[in-house]
Amino acid sequence: MNIAAVSLRYKKPLFFILALSILYGVLSYFTLPAREDPEITIREAIVSTSYPGMASARVERLITKKLEESIRKIPEVERIRSTSSTGSSVIHVEIADRYFNLDNIWQDLRNKVSAAQSQLPSGTQPSIVNDEFGDVAIITLALTADGFSLAEMHEMAKHIRDTLYAVKGTKKIDLLGIQQEQIYLEISNTKLAQLGIAPAQLSAILQSQNIISPGGSIDTGLKSFAIEPSGNFNSVQEIGELLITLPQLQQPILLRDLAKIKRGYIDPPNKLAYYNGKPALIFAISMLNGYNVLDFSPKMKAKLNEIQQSLPVGYQLEIATYQADQVSQTVYGVSINVLQTLIIVLLVVMVFLGVRVGLIVGSIVPCVMLLSLAVMNFTGINLERMSLATLIIALGLLIDNGIVIAEDFKARLERGEDRVYALTHGPSSLAVPLLSSSISTILFFLPLMLAQHVAGEYTRSISLVILISLMTSWLLALSVTPVLCYFFVNKPAAKNERQTQSDAKKLYHKIQDRYQQILSWMLSHKAISLGFSVLLLIVSVASMPFLNKQFFPDSDRLQILVDLELAPDASSRATNQAMQAVFKWLSNPEQFSQIDSYAAYVGFGGPRFVLSLSPDDPSENKGFMVLNINKAEQIEPTIRQLRNGFREKFPYVSAHVNKMFLGPSDSAVISIQVKGPDENVIYQQAKKIEALLAKTDGTIDIRNNWEGRISKIKVLVNQQKARRAGISSNDVAATLQGYFSGAQISQYRENDNIIPIIYRAELNERHNLDRLRTVSIYSPASNHYIPLFQIADFEPYNEFSKIQKEDLFKTVTVEARHLSMTAEILKQQIDPQIQKLKRNLPLNHTIEYDGVVQESSDAQQALAKNMPLVLALIIILLIVQFNSFRRPLIIIATIPLGFIGAVSGLWIMQAPFGFMVSLGLYSLAGIIINNAIVLIDKIDINRESGMGMMEAIEQACHSRLRPICMTTITTVLGLLPLIISHDPLFYGLACVLAFGLAVGTLLTLCIVPCLYALFYKNEASTN
C-alpha cells in the first residue's frame, strides 16, 4: 500500500484525525498521572516478631532462624536479610525483579510465617507481615499543639484522619509519633514484702472487679431483661479506691495507700516524632495508583485548609513534606527544556532547508510529541522525569524521517518530476529504509524493556517512549509530510528565501568542498584512515577505567537527611534527650536561617516520603531528621556546617548528614560485607575493614551494622536454693520484668480506648542498678519474700547488640562515605587490600561488595544480558534489508565510532560514568548506525544507476552530507538545555549523546566510505 497516495486521496479525514489526536495529546499532558520519578514495584516485605527482653543471640537462634528457614522455601524469594536484637526479630524478604504480581507471593509468605509460629518459643508474640513497605507518603503533615497533651492530640489526629479520608484517591493515612497511654501503679518492693502481697495477687484482685462481663438475662415472658453487673472502672480515681484485702491485716486498705497511681505514656518513649523541635503527630498520606499527584495534592491541601479553620486555638497542622512541589518542578522544568529543544530544532531545520520546507518538517515534531503523549495516556505511561526527558533525546531522531522525505520531494521537483509522481514514488521508495532505521534504533533500547533489574524498571519508560515516538514519526513522515510538501513546496525558491539562505548556502558549500577533499584523501589512504580510527578507539577504551563512576546522581531536592546514632546500649530516653539538644542547636535563626522547617523521628526512620528512600528499621539508639532548605545553593554549605557542628558539639552522637539521591541507592556509600559462620571472626575482619577505610583520606561516616557489643547482667539462679525457698526461675524473671520494666496487670477502658494498667517499681528503685541484688522475690510456697541475692549470683557479660544475617549466613556490613569519590571509585582504590584480607579468611568465610557497587554491576549485567539478542535482531534486519552480509558488517563496525566521542565527552564535561550513561551509549549506537544505513543505501542506489564504485561513493557522501549533518546538529543542539541546566539525571547521558553523535557522525562520513571501498574493492576492479 502506498501510504502517501492514500493520504493525499483522503487528506480531509487524515487532517481531521490528526487534529483530534493532537487535541487529545494536549489534554493528556494535563491529565496524565504525574510523578517525580517512575513508579517502581517495591518487592520487599518485612516480618517483625517480638519477644520482650530476650537476648539477641537467643532471638537469632530460636526465632529468626526458624522463620528464615520457612521463608526460604518460597521459590520467588531472592534475598533474605534479618536483624536480631534484644527482644526483636526483623526480617526483610526481597522478591526477584522478574515478578510483578506480588499478592499471591505475599499470601504465600504469610502462610509460611504462620506455619512457623508453632516452632517459636512460648511467649513469642505473633509475627507481623508488612507487605506495604513500599507505599510512598506523597504528603506528610505535622500536628503540633500548645497547651494540649499527647492524648488530646491523638484524639484530634484521629478526627483529622477520618476527615482527610474523604478526599478521593486517598489510599491510607498512617499516624506516627503516637505514644500509648498507660496507667502506672508504682509500688515499693519493700512495702510489698512487708505486707506479703504478690503482684499476681494484686493483678487478680484488679481483674476480678474490673469487668465488663454480662450477667445473663431474665425472660419474664413478655419481656427479656439483660443483666449487667458493675465493676468497670470509670475513672483513674476509682482505681485508687479499690479495696485490697490482706490476710495479715484486720481491715482492707485502699490501693492508693499501697501504690502511687498516675496516668502517663509508655515509658521509655516509643517512636517519638517532632516538627521544628515540638512534639508532633505525623500524618503519612499515600495515594492510590492511577491518580495524578498534581490533582490529588491540591485537593488534599484544600481539605487541610478547611480543617485548619475549625481546629481549636493552640493546634497547628502544617505540611512537613509535599511531593507535588517537586513533581511540578520536575515535570514543568523538563517541559520547558522540551520547548527550548523544539525551538532550537525548528530554527536549525529552517536554516538548512529554508523557511517553507523547514516549517513543513518542523511542524511534524510537535505533532509527533503530542501524539506520543496521547499514546502514553492510552497505554498508561505516567508523566515523569524519564518519559518527558526521553522526548528531548528523541527530538533529533523524530525529525530525521521528515527531513529525508521533504528533501527527496524537493529534489524530485528540481529534476522536473511531476508533483503527483514525486509524492507517490518518493515516500514509497524510502518507507522500508526509514522503517528499518527506526526499528534499528528501537532495538537498541530493547535491553531496557527486558532488563530484570530495579534500575531497568526505573528507566523502562525511556524505551517505551522511544518506541512510541519513532513509530509515530515514521507514520507521519509517510502520510502528513508528503501531503504538506505536495501543497506547499514550490520548485523555484522565492526571492526572499534565496536571500535569507544565501549565507547559509555559502557556508554549507564551503563545508561540502572541504569534506570532499578530506574524503578523497581518506579513500586514497584507507589503511592510514582505518588505523587512526582504531587507535582512537583503543585510547578511548583504555581511558574508561579512569573515568569517575556514579551509579545514579544526587537528587536536586531541597532537603538534607540526617541520621543520628548513639551507643548501641543507649535507651530511647537517652536518644530523645540527645535529639532535644540538637533541636535547641538548630533553633538558632542566625546560624540556620536557611532551614525552613524540619521533621525528626526518635527510634525509627519515619515514613517513606520518597520512593528510593527506605526507612531504617526501628532502633532505640537511632534518630532521623529531614531538613527543608530554602535555596539550592545552600545545600552543600549547610551539609558542611552540620557535619562540623555535630562533630564539635555532639561528640557522643554519630551523625551522618547527606543530600538526597536519585535511583535505587546512594552512589556515594560503599558497602562491604563479611560473611561466615563464626561471628567473632567476621566481626574482627569488619573492624579491620573499618580501620582500612579510616586510613583513606576523605572517608567519613564509617560504621558497621552490628554496631558493637553491649553490657548485660546475667542472673545465675541457684536452683537448689531457689527450690528450697519455693521460688522458680520463672518467678524471678516475672518479678524482675515487672519491677524494672513494668508488667501489665489489667486494663482501663475509656470510651473506645483501652489503656493498659502497668505495675512497676518506684522511680528511684527501678533506675537504681544496686536494687537488682536486693529486690525481693515472692515465694508462693511460704507466702513471703526472699531477697534475690540469697538465691542468685550476678555476672556481667557482653554480647553483640545486633546479629545481622543475609540469606541465612551471619553478615557484618561495613559502610562508609567519601567526600569526593563515589563508591565505585573508592572500591578501585581499596580493593587490593580487601582482596588481601579475603585471602587470609578461614574456610567458609568471605568478603563481598554490596550496596551500590553490587547494584551497578547487576544493572549493567541485566542490560548486557540481552545485547546478543538485540545485535542478532539488528543483523537479521540489515541482512534482510540489504540482502547482503558485508553491508551489515560495515554498519555494525560503525558502532564503536560513537564510543570515541562519548568517552571524550565524559572527560571534557567531567560527567561520571553510570547507568544513565550506559543508556546513552545504547541509544548512541542506534543513531550512529542510522547514518551508516542511509549512506550505504545511497551508494547502492548510485551503483544500480550505472555509476562506478568511487563515483557512487563520492556522490552518495555528497548528497547525504546535509541530511546526516542536519540530524546530528538538531540532536546535539536539542540536548543543550539538558547540558546547560546540568540536569541531575540526564546530564551524563546528554553529554554522551552530544559528543558521541558529533564525533561519531564525522567519523562515519569518513570511515564508512573507506570500509565500503575496502570490502568491495574486487567489484570496483571488475567495474
Side-chain angles (χ1 to χ4, degrees), residues 81-84 565 622 672-674 683 686 690 703-708 801-806 811-815:
R81 296 180 293 114
S82 67
T83 302
S84 302
E565 185 176 326
K622 292 183 179 181
I672 306 172
Q673 294 183 327
V674 188
Y683 188 76
E690 288 185 42
R703 57 178 173 176
N704 72 75
N705 62 350
W706 284 41
E707 298 183 7
S801 170
K802 291 182 173 66
I803 298 177
Q804 307 278 355
K805 294 170 69 178
E806 183 174 308
T811 304
V812 182
T813 302
V814 178
E815 290 185 348

Side-chain angles (χ1 to χ4, degrees), residues 19-37:
L20 288 180
S21 301
I22 290 173
L23 289 175
Y24 184 59
V26 173
L27 181 66
S28 298
Y29 178 79
F30 294 102
T31 58
L32 268 171
R35 293 182 177 274
E36 179 184 3
D37 291 307

Side-chain angles (χ1 to χ4, degrees), residues 93 100 115 120 137 171 176 181 256 283 306 377 435 547 590 603 643 711 720 752 787 801 843 880 955 986 1005 1009-1010:
V93 183
F100 288 88
L120 305 184
K171 181 179 181 180
L176 309 177
E181 278 196 283
R256 57 183 168 82
F283 299 76
E306 292 179 13
N377 195 357
L435 180 62
L547 283 169
E590 296 180 0
R643 285 174 177 168
S711 298
Q720 293 182 349
D752 60 343
S801 170
L843 189 65
V880 171
Q955 198 283 330
F986 286 94
L1005 288 169
C1010 293

Side-chain angles (χ1 to χ4, degrees), residues 417-459:
E417 294 182 6
D418 181 69
R419 285 181 178 276
V420 175
Y421 185 86
L423 181 138
T424 54
H425 287 75
S428 61
S429 64
L430 293 169
V432 174
L434 291 179
L435 180 62
S436 173
S437 174
S438 298
I439 292 176
S440 298
T441 303
I442 292 169
L443 286 175
F444 271 103
F445 287 89
L446 188 62
L448 279 182
M449 291 191 208
L450 302 179
Q452 294 179 351
H453 190 272
V454 65
E457 188 177 351
Y458 185 77
T459 55

Side-chain angles (χ1 to χ4, degrees), residues 23-80:
L23 289 175
Y24 184 59
V26 173
L27 181 66
S28 298
Y29 178 79
F30 294 102
T31 58
L32 268 171
R35 293 182 177 274
E36 179 184 3
D37 291 307
E39 194 172 357
I40 299 176
T41 303
I42 303 296
R43 300 170 178 83
E44 184 174 351
I46 297 179
V47 180
S48 304
T49 313
S50 177
Y51 193 121
M54 181 179 282
S56 57
R58 286 187 174 181
V59 170
E60 187 273 322
R61 289 194 307 270
L62 302 178
I63 298 176
T64 304
K65 187 176 181 180
K66 302 294 184 184
L67 291 170
E68 285 177 327
E69 290 172 347
S70 182
I71 295 170
R72 185 72 267 181
K73 297 175 184 178
I74 302 174
E76 296 87 354
V77 170
E78 183 178 57
R79 189 185 190 197
I80 299 175

Side-chain angles (χ1 to χ4, degrees), residues 680-710:
N680 291 313
V681 169
I682 62 175
Y683 188 76
Q684 290 172 3
Q685 295 299 317
K687 299 304 288 185
K688 291 180 181 179
I689 294 174
E690 288 185 42
L692 172 62
L693 290 167
K695 293 178 182 178
T696 305
D697 292 337
T699 305
I700 60 172
D701 298 346
I702 304 171
R703 57 178 173 176
N704 72 75
N705 62 350
W706 284 41
E707 298 183 7
R709 290 181 169 88
I710 58 176

Side-chain angles (χ1 to χ4, degrees), residues 143 156-164 283 307 311 317:
L143 178 67
M156 180 60 67
K158 289 191 291 185
H159 167 70
I160 294 172
R161 179 185 60 187
D162 295 342
T163 307
L164 292 178
F283 299 76
I307 295 173
L311 288 178
L317 186 60

Side-chain angles (χ1 to χ4, degrees), residues 49 52 66 98 158 223 249 279 380 430 539 553 657 665 701 784 792 936 1008:
T49 313
K66 302 294 184 184
R98 62 182 178 273
K158 289 191 291 185
K223 291 185 179 181
L249 296 180
L430 293 169
V539 172
V657 185
S665 58
D701 298 346
H784 67 275
I936 291 176
V1008 168

